[in-house]
Amino acid sequence: MSDRTLHPDTLALHAGYRSDPTTGAVAVPIYQTTSYQFRDSEHAENLFALKELGNIYTRIMNPTHDVLEQRVSALEGGVAALALGSGQAASTFAVLNLCQSGDNFVCSTAIYGGTWNLFANTLKLLGIECRFVDANDPENFRKATDAKTRCYYAETLPNPKLEVFPIADVAKVGREEGVPLIMDNTAAPMICRPLEHGAAIVLYSTTKYMGGHGTSIGGILVDGGNFDWEAQGDRFPLLNSPDPSYHGAVWTEAVKPLGPIAYILRARVILLRDFGSAMSPFNAFQFIQGIESLPVRMERHCSNAAKVAGFLASNRQVSKVIYPGHHTGEVRQRADTYLSNGYGALVGFELAGGKNAGQRFIDSLELLYHVANIGDARSLAIHPASTTHSQLSEEDQAKSGVTPGYVRLSIGLEHADDIIADIAQALDKA
Ligand code: PLP
């Protein structure tokens, strides 16, 4: 049975695992071990020399992670994946796997604030420059590219504006320039597969929909295996020249017997080995549980969100609804091109009464949780102007799409009528 012939709903339950070879256990076991007994010294030597792939130490690989990695890779149509301790670790590794001091990369301005800080400030301290551009014109990525540009980076469905990124257009610019596109698809699992639109690497904060229950922090990187690093020569010295930290291995050559996995193999055996941002086996298990129901959950997340957006649009206290299915023109066209079977579970709206009304609305909620998170099974709400975006000036808040009365909702799996009833009673008090 080839994974390629199965539907996503089936892959979510079966890819990468049938049963435990020693016990027959059908649920994926939690391999809560730090290390693995080598068969003999030749086996150990082969593993360390990458002549044979296998388990050495849980900081860099683990059988529970392996199932999670194979499963997410199959769902994305990739060739291999790497589980990490958080979404932040996945974003960090995605870039550090290609960039060193003196290099740059180009990134959409519409990204999660934590990623923005990492790229604008912390990577800058390492000598890596992030060039932020407006993604509404894909040519902005080309204009910001030079000989030291190593990748493009964006989010599929960035909040608060919820304007879907033009994946194929920017991927095409990148392929013309010899630069891979990395997509953070955290807010759009199952409804978008960025690799199909030309992205080279996909990443997730598994903390959100993949886990789905708000219990565990994690991240994952998926290698599309569709980018010819070797053909770009000097553009990718970290993959195409001898690596002094691994017996002078040239990653694009070393992987030839294994397939097009140079990117993800280097991320594992160099970055994860050295930075140690490992996921715990227990959390890998939690994410496997989450992914089993992800296709079904995303359907309900999306249908609930559509109902909530429809309700908000008809409410007179709401001056604007921000939802991919309610956008118009070119931005709406992108939502329809890249999202299928729903527009995601995030809904924003603006209260005519501004900041005070936004805060009163939040304080009046009884069912929805007031938290700084998205992608939980429960419905969540936050008022960005007084929380996540409060450090920005009002002008910068406006640029990022946050007006004083903006409220962000992450719609969960409760009955839609109950979610709407809670929102309605809170609006009455706002
Ligand atoms: N990417 C996106 C789109 C996010 O929303 C987040 C967190 O909110 C992250 C990455 C970072 O993920 P984590 O919190 O798992 O480190």
Side-chain angles (χ1 to χ4, degrees):
M1 191 164 52
S2 154
D3 279 356
R4 298 266 171 198
T5 63
L6 297 174
H7 294 84
D9 319 57
T10 312
L11 292 173
L13 286 151
H14 292 276
Y17 182 81
R18 183 68 191 164
S19 61
D20 181 57
T22 50
T23 63
V26 169
V28 180
I30 305 170
Y31 286 93
Q32 195 69 40
T33 182
T34 56
S35 36
Y36 307 85
Q37 160 95 339
F38 304 121
R39 285 194 304 271
D40 50 35
S41 44
E42 187 189 355
H43 178 221
E45 189 174 15
N46 284 344
L47 290 178
F48 275 85
L50 297 178
K51 283 187 192 150
E52 204 179 313
L53 293 182
N55 297 316
I56 299 175
Y57 189 58
T58 283
R59 173 158 26 92
I60 40 178
M61 73 281 281
N62 173 283
T64 312
H65 297 169
D66 183 50
V67 175
L68 173 66
E69 289 161 353
Q70 289 192 52
R71 201 154 285 183
V72 176
S73 179
L75 284 169
E76 293 302 318
V79 291
L82 179 65
L84 294 162
S86 66
Q88 283 299 98
S91 314
T92 308
F93 278 35
V95 173
L96 286 189
N97 207 28
L98 298 171
C99 292
Q100 55 189 319
S101 178
D103 293 345
N104 68 72
F105 65 108
V106 187
C107 181
S108 167
T109 46
I111 53 166
Y112 163 60
T115 313
W116 178 288
N117 255 327
L118 166 70
F119 289 176
N121 300 311
T122 303
L123 291 189
K124 190 175 172 188
L125 296 175
L126 302 181
I128 297 168
E129 181 196 357
C130 180
R131 299 177 173 177
F132 289 104
V133 296
D134 179 354
N136 282 309
D137 181 1
E139 284 300 315
N140 286 340
F141 281 79
R142 196 192 310 275
K143 286 180 200 148
T145 303
D146 64 20
K148 290 273 190 183
T149 303
R150 307 296 182 220
C151 57
Y152 297 160
Y153 188 104
E155 284 178 24
T156 304
L157 181 55
N159 74 80
K161 287 189 182 171
L162 301 178
E163 294 179 352
V164 172
F165 182 78
I167 307 174
D169 299 325
V170 175
K172 182 166 171 284
V173 169
R175 285 182 190 270
E176 286 162 8
E177 299 291 326
V179 176
L181 172 62
I182 299 170
M183 289 303 306
D184 177 341
N185 201 45
T186 297
M190 307 310 302
I191 57 173
C192 179
R193 301 214 312 165
L195 298 177
E196 280 176 357
H197 302 291
I201 306 295
V202 177
L203 69 89
Y204 285 93
S205 161
T206 52
T207 312
K208 318 295 179 191
Y209 299 95
M210 286 212 171
H213 299 89
T215 61
S216 315
I217 300 282
I220 197 159
L221 262 182
V222 183
D223 188 337
N226 61 10
F227 195 88
D228 192 347
W229 310 102
E230 207 171 5
Q232 303 306 327
D234 293 347
R235 170 80 69 183
F236 300 110
L238 295 179
L239 297 176
N240 288 329
S241 53
D243 189 332
S245 89
Y246 219 108
H247 319 304
V250 176
W251 295 109
T252 45
E253 282 172 17
V255 298
K256 288 212 165 124
L258 307 169
I261 59 164
Y263 178 90
I264 207 78
L265 186 67
R266 182 182 187 276
R268 183 187 297 281
V269 301
I270 302 299
L271 297 181
L272 187 52
R273 179 196 66 179
D274 294 352
F275 290 118
S277 327
M279 181 184 281
S280 84
F282 180 75
N283 283 357
F285 171 81
Q286 295 278 62
F287 295 127
I288 290 167
Q289 302 313 296
I291 289 168
E292 288 187 353
S293 62
L294 182 64
V296 179
R297 283 190 290 107
M298 281 310 287
E299 278 178 23
R300 172 68 87 91
H301 275 299
C302 290
S303 65
N304 275 356
K307 288 176 191 165
V308 169
F311 163 76
L312 290 168
S314 66
N315 189 287
R316 59 187 170 69
Q317 277 152 285
V318 173
S319 53
K320 189 173 175 191
V321 177
I322 298 97
Y323 175 67
H326 287 193
H327 285 317
T328 54
E330 148 84 26
V331 177
R332 171 61 181 276
Q333 225 168 32
R334 294 207 301 257
D336 289 335
T337 302
Y338 296 113
L339 305 183
S340 49
N341 305 318
Y343 293 107
L346 299 176
V347 182
F349 65 96
E350 287 176 17
L351 283 164
K355 185 175 172 188
N356 289 345
Q359 288 183 305
R360 272 197 306 271
F361 170 82
I362 294 282
D363 288 338
S364 305
L365 289 168
E366 291 168 7
L367 183 72
L368 275 71
Y369 284 88
H370 178 202
V371 298
N373 193 21
I374 60 168
D376 196 299
R378 290 154 280 258
S379 292
L380 317 173
I382 197 151
H383 176 244
S386 61
T387 58
T388 52
H389 289 62
S390 58
Q391 273 93 13
L392 301 184
S393 66
E394 203 160 308
E395 194 191 340
D396 283 347
Q397 286 185 5
K399 267 195 224 153
S400 77
V402 171
T403 54
Y406 183 100
V407 173
R408 183 188 76 195
L409 304 175
S410 171
I411 300 301
L413 305 177
E414 303 91 341
H415 195 288
D417 293 350
D418 295 335
I419 301 171
I420 290 171
D422 193 40
I423 294 171
Q425 65 80 24
L427 281 173
D428 285 344
K429 294 176 190 148

